[in-house]
Amino acid sequence: MKIAICDDESRSREGIKNILKEAFPDIELREFSCGQELAEAAGTDYLPDIILMDIAVSGMDGMDGMETARRLRKMSPATILIFVTGVREQVFQAFDVGAFHYLLKPVEAEKLISVVKRAVVEVEKTNAKPRYMLVKVPGGYRRLNTEDILYAESDGRKVILHLKQENLEFYEKMEELEQRLGEGFYRCHRGYLVSLAEIREYDNANIRMSNGETVYLAKRKYGEFVQIYGRYLRE
């Protein structure tokens, strides 16, 4: 479970972090001082399950909390947004982007823990449900259960999706597919994206999948992969 704290006030970030670390010791926490920083991280290699964000957070490009929330909504509609604000009148803006809840500064520890507990339950419910995605195929769209995916392979402008029963080709950038699949999948090489649930063996150069096929593991990714896969197995 990943929680991001986005606030340009270091004291506020620190206060929220300390409360959450004590109440939820197993949760991965990461801090951001501006909306731009969070959006850039979410667009590359980090997409949190829950975000606690100051509505008025500022950034180098003038992007406030609401604009950041709109960008994040496009990347991951399932991410839970909890707004933190020092101005009660700003609360109503939160509902424009489907915020889960809001908290008024100074944040009360008991209230914060209660809201985050409920958010964690919602994330766990979502993760427990079968996940589906749509891919564009000739003549229309096809719905796939993400649990059927073994790995994805880049082939020029196309992606080859290796499923348990077949292979499927369609036009999409690997980066976009990586964002859509999210947690549970890992980009082990620029040309491969694997399902962590379908890994059977690995060494410092290759990953063997449940169907016996092997994909490349980039050397520079090895250390990160071991950490992420180990955490996945523990969870």
Side-chain angles (χ1 to χ4, degrees), residues 183-202:
E183 197 168 346
F185 289 81
Y186 180 72
R187 186 82 173 272
C188 59
H189 183 278
R190 65 180 181 180
Y192 292 97
L193 177 66
V194 298
S195 167
L196 296 174
E198 299 299 328
I199 293 173
R200 292 298 173 265
E201 300 175 10
Y202 70 87

Side-chain angles (χ1 to χ4, degrees), residues 51-68:
I51 298 171
L52 286 142
M53 183 159 53
D54 185 355
I55 289 180
V57 66
S58 60
M60 291 180 291
D61 64 350
M63 185 165 65
D64 64 7
M66 288 299 296
E67 178 58 28
T68 303

Side-chain angles (χ1 to χ4, degrees), residues 157-222:
R157 293 168 55 207
K158 287 185 178 181
V159 166
I160 303 173
L161 215 51
H162 294 257
L163 307 172
K164 291 178 180 177
Q165 302 297 329
E166 61 178 314
N167 292 344
L168 186 65
E169 292 187 20
F170 55 95
Y171 288 96
E172 185 163 0
K173 292 180 180 178
M174 201 69 154
E175 291 75 14
E176 294 173 355
L177 180 63
E178 182 181 6
Q179 288 295 330
R180 286 215 285 158
L181 289 174
E183 197 168 346
F185 289 81
Y186 180 72
R187 186 82 173 272
C188 59
H189 183 278
R190 65 180 181 180
Y192 292 97
L193 177 66
V194 298
S195 167
L196 296 174
E198 299 299 328
I199 293 173
R200 292 298 173 265
E201 300 175 10
Y202 70 87
D203 56 32
N204 63 358
N206 299 284
I207 298 173
R208 186 178 296 276
M209 307 306 296
S210 60
N211 65 348
E213 294 179 9
T214 299
V215 302
Y216 293 119
L217 171 59
K219 288 183 179 179
R220 64 181 178 81
K221 290 266 194 173
Y222 180 72

Side-chain angles (χ1 to χ4, degrees), residues 41-92:
T44 53
D45 62 349
Y46 175 78
L47 198 58
D49 301 292
I50 300 168
I51 298 171
L52 286 142
M53 183 159 53
D54 185 355
I55 289 180
V57 66
S58 60
M60 291 180 291
D61 64 350
M63 185 165 65
D64 64 7
M66 288 299 296
E67 178 58 28
T68 303
R70 291 187 187 98
R71 292 194 189 184
L72 292 168
R73 270 281 169 260
K74 293 179 182 177
M75 295 179 193
S76 177
T79 295
I80 289 181
L81 292 169
I82 300 170
F83 278 115
V84 182
T85 177
V87 182
R88 185 178 293 274
E89 287 71 24
Q90 290 180 325
V91 164
F92 299 103

